[in-house]
């Protein structure tokens, strides 16, 4: 039998692409980004298509973003106060 776990009614402020955003304690970075008005977590370097979460359990890496200067899977990272999240929306140049 499953028991419902009460989530704290507290919130935190994180930074998404330089903009302060309010988040709920207990949610993941992926949850937060999926609620944003701008679509996508980044751009696929090979195709240029917008990326978004696929598996939501850390297998596919489609939710890869930069969190506090490090590459991280958004679906595995719970939000915390002051976290800096950067989506990779620009297509990197391919080295010849």
């Amino acid at each position: 039998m499953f028991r419902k776990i009460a989530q704290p009614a507290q919130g935190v402020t994180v930074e998404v692409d330089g903009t302060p955003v309010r988040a709920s304690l207990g949610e993941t970075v992926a949850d937060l980004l999926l609620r944003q008005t701008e679509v996508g977590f980044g751009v696929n370097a090979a195709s240029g298509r917008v990326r978004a979460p696929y598996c939501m359990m850390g297998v596919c890496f489609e939710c890869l973003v930069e969190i506090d200067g490090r590459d991280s899977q958004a679906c595995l990272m719970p939000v915390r106060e002051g976290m800096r999240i950067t989506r990779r929306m620009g297509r990197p140049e391919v080295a010849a």
Side-chain angles (χ1 to χ4, degrees):
M1 173 181 264
F2 294 101
R3 292 186 307 170
K4 186 174 182 181
I5 300 172
Q7 293 293 328
Q10 298 174 295
V12 295
T13 301
V14 300
E15 186 179 289
V16 177
D17 298 326
T19 303
V21 175
R22 209 58 188 144
S24 298
L25 281 178
E27 74 178 330
T28 65
V29 171
D31 295 330
L32 170 69
L33 292 177
L34 286 169
R35 288 191 289 108
Q36 302 305 301
T37 56
E38 285 187 36
V39 178
F41 283 43
V43 174
N44 182 293
S47 69
R49 292 187 176 166
V50 175
R51 293 185 304 108
Y54 179 69
C55 73
M56 292 296 283
M57 62 182 186
V59 176
C60 72
F61 292 93
E62 286 300 306
C63 66
L64 196 65
V65 294
E66 185 178 301
I67 299 175
D68 294 331
R70 298 184 67 176
D71 291 339
S72 301
Q73 289 171 274
C75 68
L76 299 177
M77 296 294 294
V79 295
R80 65 181 179 282
E81 184 66 40
M83 182 180 267
R84 291 182 332 272
I85 303 159
T86 305
R87 294 178 287 179
R88 299 194 172 131
M89 299 310 285
R91 187 172 180 183
E93 295 299 320
V94 178

